Amino acid sequence: MSSRALRRLKGKQRGQEAVVVEELTLPHNPDELAESEEEQLDTASVSPPSHRKSKKNKDRKDICAILEMISDAEKVSADEDLEKLDINKTSDTGNIDSKSNSIQGPNEPLSSVNKKKKKKKTKVKSENVQKARALDDNIDLLLENMEQSNGLTLQNDCGGCDRRLVLHVEHRNLNPETELKKYFGSRAVLGDQRPRQRNRQFHRNTWMTSPKESWPRFSRPGISMTLLESKDGIQYFTFEHSRDYQQVQFKFLDAVESMDPNTIVALLQLNPYHIDSLLQLSDVCRIQDDQEMARDLIERALYSFECAFHPVWSLTSGTCRLDYLRPENRAFYLALFKHMMFLEKRGCPRTALEYCKLILSLDPDSDPLCMLLLIDFLMLRSRQYDSLLQLYEDWEEHRNLSQLPNFAFSTALCHFHLSQQEEIKPEESDQAKHKADQMLQDALIMFPAVLMPLLDLCTVQPDATVTSHAFFGPSSQIGQLPALAELTALYVGRMHSLWREAAVMLWLEESVREVLCRIDANDPLVEDCQNKRKQRYQNAPRNIHRHVLLSEVKEATSSLPLEVTTQPVMGFDPLPPVDSVISYTRPVRQHVGASNESTLSLFFRSLLPNFNLQGGLRQEEGDMEVARAGQELNQEVNRLMVAMRDMLANIRFQEPPREDHPFRDEEEWD
């Protein structure tokens, strides 16, 4: 039977045999070339091939020679890496191949040659397996060294913990449909969505938002991102506005001063992707209970930002920074925050948590929107208990998270939920329950003003021993400092829904009884915490006030100080930093103060003795055109006032008829 028939029986075709690279070598000198030619002659005498087969064998040898040269080059580069890492190397396979060629003589029979080749194959394969394992280990070490040299393993300056693990963001979790599919299934979320082929717009692929067909056609609004510097593995970026975008920004500020939303709508019709206009109009729609339109405008703003990202910018690395002191960067913070709040209300806490970590990673040191007051709530809602405890352990040393009421109570609640899980061992459950009891008691001693408002919002009537006790009574509410009252009201207003479970309430009741026993026993921790409350929480920083305004928690908003509530707060830039970095300023606009008033208000002001139409006019020296326009306007208004005075002077009212009128008809009033 021919070799071709044998291959067909085995299910193989020509050219499918495995090629062993180590067996195929090129002769290094003319003597070896002659020996190989003699070898070919001997094999030809045993089984003389045809001219076609010899040509194919020659082509195959040429291909194998090329493969051998490539493998030799790879081995040389791998050996150089091994020398740099000071690792013992094994002998090169090229020497083994040359020795095997010298073993085979020109006059040996073909069967003995095949046996020697089989023995040599097993040896070479075993050596290659060992060398491949060594190379894999060495490549891993080499990659680790490269990452350390490039600064990818970020260590924080305060505690030595890895912030990148805490602030790591996953791309797939930025899409709310990923979370909704887990709850309801892909068919319920997507439905029969088929893209329309007619008039279809091709948008750029983005991670944060998906462009909609109802949106206006995208054209770059004039926003760009610039890399300022790279230091210690961290990249510092900033957004920049072009000249045309600055002019649109000035028009937007004029529209805000007019207090008319229609002017912002008109501006958006001309510039559909202007960021601040989208943010401000979204607040207007939200106040009017148009939640769908408000969310759509925020998504459009995020899409405009994502199209302006720098090529080096990364959402998931946790090493990209944006300075909140620059006004161009604040809109990105606010758009992310508002989008996060919409996702949380929509029932996507896991997706909202990713955006919360993204905002925190933009500036984790200063935290301009104070995301640490919110991240524990989102982690508890999405049941990320291990992540919350990891964040608390990593950041406690340099951020003192235990001094915030939300972390003091949330970590205790986290340990309690872990102790209630069925898949853990009984020993671990008891240990977690004991840890939760201890942390909750310490939190109640440190922040006693949390208990009564929390029970009130949970519609739970406390025991008489608790309400009559001086530690949890009304004195604890009245005597706390304003900054602490603001933090307490924020936590209670946001987190009370997580404490309504029956098991959690029973656990809270047990802890309150233990706290009362410790207070009656004169526990030294009680006095220590009281001194800490008096020394700390004197004044809340500006970022906490900004967070309360953006969160819109009623209980916390009512506790804001007067210096915050008395000043105007703009939705596109609430409570800007005092030390802002201004890149461009708005030009001084010359306007006539009385020209914005109605004619009727001008008339009543003209009745006053100190009326002067030119009083509100701001004129610069040498500006004759503005002065001339003011004079003409004054003349026109004076003419109008004279006409209105004449009209009022000529008004006559008809008197009602008297009873003694001589010409009165008796049946007139019947």
Side-chain angles (χ1 to χ4, degrees), residues 21 52 66 80 94 118 163 263 317 322 364 487 514 543 568 581 583 608 610 644 657 664 670:
V21 180
R52 183 178 179 182
I66 296 172
E80 291 178 356
K118 288 181 180 179
R163 287 189 184 178
T263 56
S317 63
L322 276 178
L487 292 174
E514 291 294 331
N543 59 344
V581 180
S583 58
L608 299 176
N610 58 351
M644 293 186 68
R664 177 177 175 270
D670 294 340

Side-chain angles (χ1 to χ4, degrees), residues 321-375:
R321 302 288 184 264
L322 276 178
D323 191 3
Y324 193 81
L325 298 179
R326 298 178 179 270
E328 296 86 351
N329 299 336
R330 295 173 198 163
F332 185 60
Y333 278 89
L334 297 175
L336 289 175
F337 191 93
K338 294 176 184 295
H339 185 58
M340 176 194 63
M341 297 303 295
F342 280 123
L343 289 172
E344 190 272 329
K345 294 178 181 178
R346 191 181 176 186
C348 301
R350 184 68 181 88
T351 310
L353 175 60
E354 294 299 313
Y355 280 95
C356 182
K357 293 191 292 185
L358 176 58
I359 299 172
L360 186 59
S361 67
L362 297 179
D363 195 354
D365 295 328
S366 61
D367 194 9
L369 297 185
C370 211
M371 303 309 297
L372 290 177
L373 298 178
L374 177 63
I375 191 171

Side-chain angles (χ1 to χ4, degrees), residues 646-659:
D646 294 340
M647 182 183 65
L648 293 175
N650 295 328
I651 292 177
R652 296 289 183 270
F653 297 98
Q654 186 177 2
E655 296 181 358
R658 299 179 180 178
E659 294 182 358

Side-chain angles (χ1 to χ4, degrees), residues 149-172:
S149 62
N150 291 333
L152 294 178
T153 56
L154 175 63
Q155 300 289 332
N156 66 340
D157 299 333
C158 302
C161 60
D162 192 359
R163 287 189 184 178
R164 193 179 62 170
L165 297 177
V166 178
L167 304 180
H168 177 66
V169 179
E170 297 182 6
H171 275 140
R172 62 186 181 88

Side-chain angles (χ1 to χ4, degrees), residues 9 46 78 93 100 122 193 272 287 311 343 361 365 439 467 469 634:
L9 289 175
V46 176
T93 57
S100 63
T122 57
Q193 294 182 3
I287 294 173
L343 289 172
S361 67
D365 295 328
M439 296 187 71
T467 55
H469 202 280
N634 194 7

Side-chain angles (χ1 to χ4, degrees), residues 591-661:
H591 59 89
V592 179
S595 62
N596 294 329
E597 300 182 9
S598 61
T599 305
L600 187 60
S601 62
L602 282 175
F603 167 71
F604 286 111
R605 288 183 64 244
S606 65
L607 299 178
L608 299 176
N610 58 351
F611 171 72
N612 183 12
L613 185 63
Q614 297 285 341
L617 182 62
R618 298 181 180 177
Q619 298 182 0
E620 294 184 357
E621 297 179 1
D623 195 354
M624 300 301 297
E625 295 181 358
V626 178
R628 189 179 304 109
Q631 292 178 0
E632 294 177 357
L633 181 62
N634 194 7
Q635 293 176 0
E636 295 294 334
V637 172
N638 290 334
R639 293 173 185 172
L640 180 60
M641 296 305 154
V642 171
M644 293 186 68
R645 285 170 184 162
D646 294 340
M647 182 183 65
L648 293 175
N650 295 328
I651 292 177
R652 296 289 183 270
F653 297 98
Q654 186 177 2
E655 296 181 358
R658 299 179 180 178
E659 294 182 358
D660 55 350
H661 198 278

Side-chain angles (χ1 to χ4, degrees), residues 297-499:
L297 293 173
I298 296 298
E299 291 178 358
R300 198 195 302 181
L302 287 177
Y303 179 75
S304 181
F305 272 121
E306 195 165 1
C307 291
F309 281 168
H310 194 273
V312 188
W313 172 270
S314 175
L315 294 172
T316 60
S317 63
T319 59
C320 298
R321 302 288 184 264
L322 276 178
D323 191 3
Y324 193 81
L325 298 179
R326 298 178 179 270
E328 296 86 351
N329 299 336
R330 295 173 198 163
F332 185 60
Y333 278 89
L334 297 175
L336 289 175
F337 191 93
K338 294 176 184 295
H339 185 58
M340 176 194 63
M341 297 303 295
F342 280 123
L343 289 172
E344 190 272 329
K345 294 178 181 178
R346 191 181 176 186
C348 301
R350 184 68 181 88
T351 310
L353 175 60
E354 294 299 313
Y355 280 95
C356 182
K357 293 191 292 185
L358 176 58
I359 299 172
L360 186 59
S361 67
L362 297 179
D363 195 354
D365 295 328
S366 61
D367 194 9
L369 297 185
C370 211
M371 303 309 297
L372 290 177
L373 298 178
L374 177 63
I375 191 171
D376 60 314
F377 169 68
L378 296 175
M379 285 183 173
L380 287 174
R381 281 207 59 192
S382 57
R383 299 181 181 180
Q384 300 292 321
Y385 304 131
D386 295 332
S387 300
L388 177 57
L389 296 179
Q390 184 68 30
L391 174 65
Y392 180 77
E393 293 175 1
D394 292 347
W395 289 48
E396 168 62 20
E397 296 182 1
H398 63 282
R399 297 299 293 269
N400 295 325
L401 298 182
S402 60
Q403 304 304 313
L404 296 175
N406 59 318
F407 270 95
F409 284 90
S410 295
T411 50
L413 186 60
C414 183
H415 281 288
F416 175 77
H417 284 301
L418 288 176
S419 67
Q420 300 299 313
Q421 293 180 353
E422 298 179 355
E423 58 270 12
I424 64 174
K425 299 179 181 179
E427 296 81 5
E428 296 178 357
S429 178
D430 295 339
Q431 185 179 1
K433 181 65 167 55
H434 178 71
K435 184 71 173 177
D437 294 341
Q438 188 67 32
M439 296 187 71
L440 181 58
Q441 293 173 19
D442 295 343
L444 288 172
I445 294 174
M446 184 65 190
F447 307 103
V450 174
L451 179 62
M452 299 307 294
L454 182 61
L455 295 177
D456 188 15
L457 290 178
C458 293
T459 63
V460 174
Q461 183 66 29
D463 191 57
T465 57
V466 178
T467 55
S468 60
H469 202 280
F471 190 75
F472 291 114
S475 59
S476 62
Q477 303 289 331
I478 300 173
Q480 63 178 348
L481 296 174
L484 183 58
E486 185 177 352
L487 292 174
T488 301
L490 179 65
Y491 177 77
V492 172
R494 175 177 286 159
M495 299 285 293
H496 68 274
S497 59
L498 300 180
W499 291 83

Side-chain angles (χ1 to χ4, degrees), residues 35-46:
E35 289 179 1
S36 63
E37 290 178 355
E38 292 177 359
E39 221 178 282
Q40 293 175 5
L41 291 175
D42 293 338
T43 56
S45 62
V46 176

